């Protein structure tokens, strides 16, 4: 049997390691959404003109989540509310044409996406993403001026930073919660042993 000092040293190392892993894992609780599910970002056909609307309503988006657009011979345009409604492709806020666009959500509110092909947008290849407010992340900012307004979705300043591309499609919050629980169990084990 090991001496008490070796056992205590081992327990300290295990506890410290678990604690460090827990600290790193807790902030990483985001999800990568593949826009449109398995079919990706394509022009709707037939009676599918509302497929992206349905897809967006089936998901809940939060700050830190990632949107992954997979497409061929097309593009993704980030636009304002008016250009979204009218499928205006000539004045995008941002334009992506790489076929594998990955965008990190860094604020709450509405984001508007359309296809760069006008006929695709008019067929329903457009998406509104509503990012939910998370009170534990930050307090809501004051409402926009009456000129635009939250209801119209028309914003004058679109100063969001999409951040670096990500490649993971794993739901990271599960790992984060698991490691948090593991850290708590190890802490209880350490305190009572």
């Amino acid at each position: 049997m090991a001496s008490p000092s070796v056992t205590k040293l081992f327990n300290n190392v295990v506890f410290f390691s678990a604690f460090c892993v827990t600290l790193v894992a807790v902030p990483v609780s985001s999800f990568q959404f593949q826009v449109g599910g398995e079919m990706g970002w394509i022009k709707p056909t037939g009676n599918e003109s509302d497929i992206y609307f349905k897809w967006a309503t089936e998901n809940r988006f939060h700050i830190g989540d990632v949107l992954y657009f997979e497409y061929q011979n097309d593009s993704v345009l980030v636009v304002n509310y008016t250009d979204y409604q009218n499928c205006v492709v000539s004045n995008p806020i941002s334009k992506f044409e790489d076929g594998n666009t990955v965008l990190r959500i860094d604020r709450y509110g509405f984001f508007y996406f359309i296809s760069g092909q006008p006929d695709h947008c008019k067929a329903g290849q457009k998406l509104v993403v509503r990012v939910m407010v998370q009170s534990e992340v930050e307090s809501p900012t004051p409402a926009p001026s009456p000129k635009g307004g939250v209801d119209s979705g028309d914003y004058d300043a679109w100063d969001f930073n999409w951040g670096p591309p990500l490649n993971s499609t794993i739901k990271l919050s599960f790992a984060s919660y698991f490691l948090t629980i593991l850290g708590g169990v190890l802490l209880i084990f350490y305190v009572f042993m």
Side-chain angles (χ1 to χ4, degrees):
M1 184 166 180
S3 70
S5 62
V6 172
T7 303
K8 185 163 177 94
L9 177 64
F10 176 76
N11 287 343
N12 285 341
V13 169
V14 169
F15 170 72
F16 182 73
S17 299
F19 183 72
C20 289
V21 168
T22 302
L23 287 178
V24 170
V26 170
V28 182
S29 60
S30 64
F31 187 75
Q32 180 167 320
F33 294 91
Q34 182 171 346
V35 174
E38 291 181 12
M39 77 176 178
W41 184 244
I42 62 169
K43 177 184 177 183
T45 57
N47 296 334
E48 301 174 336
S49 64
D50 62 347
I51 57 174
Y52 294 105
F53 173 79
K54 287 179 182 177
W55 177 83
T57 59
E58 293 170 356
N59 294 293
R60 296 292 174 260
F61 305 98
H62 300 281
I63 295 171
D65 286 345
V66 173
L67 300 175
Y68 171 60
F69 292 82
E70 184 177 17
Y71 51 95
Q72 295 177 357
N73 302 319
D74 205 339
S75 59
V76 176
L77 305 182
V78 180
V79 295
N80 63 28
Y81 176 77
T82 304
D83 290 348
Y84 167 83
Q85 288 291 95
N86 300 312
C87 291
V88 176
V89 299
S90 61
N91 189 30
I93 296 163
S94 297
K95 181 175 184 175
F96 304 94
E97 298 176 305
D98 63 356
N100 290 298
T101 302
V102 180
L103 306 171
R104 179 184 298 279
I105 299 170
D106 68 348
R107 66 168 177 82
Y108 63 89
F110 292 92
F111 294 88
Y112 302 95
F113 304 94
I114 63 173
S115 168
Q117 305 293 324
D119 60 318
H120 289 203
C121 179
K122 290 176 183 165
Q125 190 178 355
K126 57 186 189 174
L127 171 69
V128 177
V129 171
R130 179 179 177 217
V131 180
M132 308 299 280
V133 175
Q134 293 175 314
S135 60
E136 65 272 5
V137 174
E138 64 182 37
S139 300
T141 57
S145 69
K147 178 183 174 194
V150 173
D151 292 334
S152 72
D154 209 2
Y155 296 95
D156 291 335
W158 283 77
D159 58 348
F160 48 88
N161 175 13
W162 291 108
L166 300 177
N167 294 322
S168 174
T169 58
I170 299 170
K171 187 166 184 176
L172 297 175
S173 61
F174 175 77
S176 175
Y177 294 132
F178 174 76
L179 291 173
T180 302
I181 291 169
L182 178 65
V185 168
L186 289 174
L187 175 64
I188 290 170
F189 178 75
Y190 177 75
V191 169
F192 292 108
M193 294 308 253

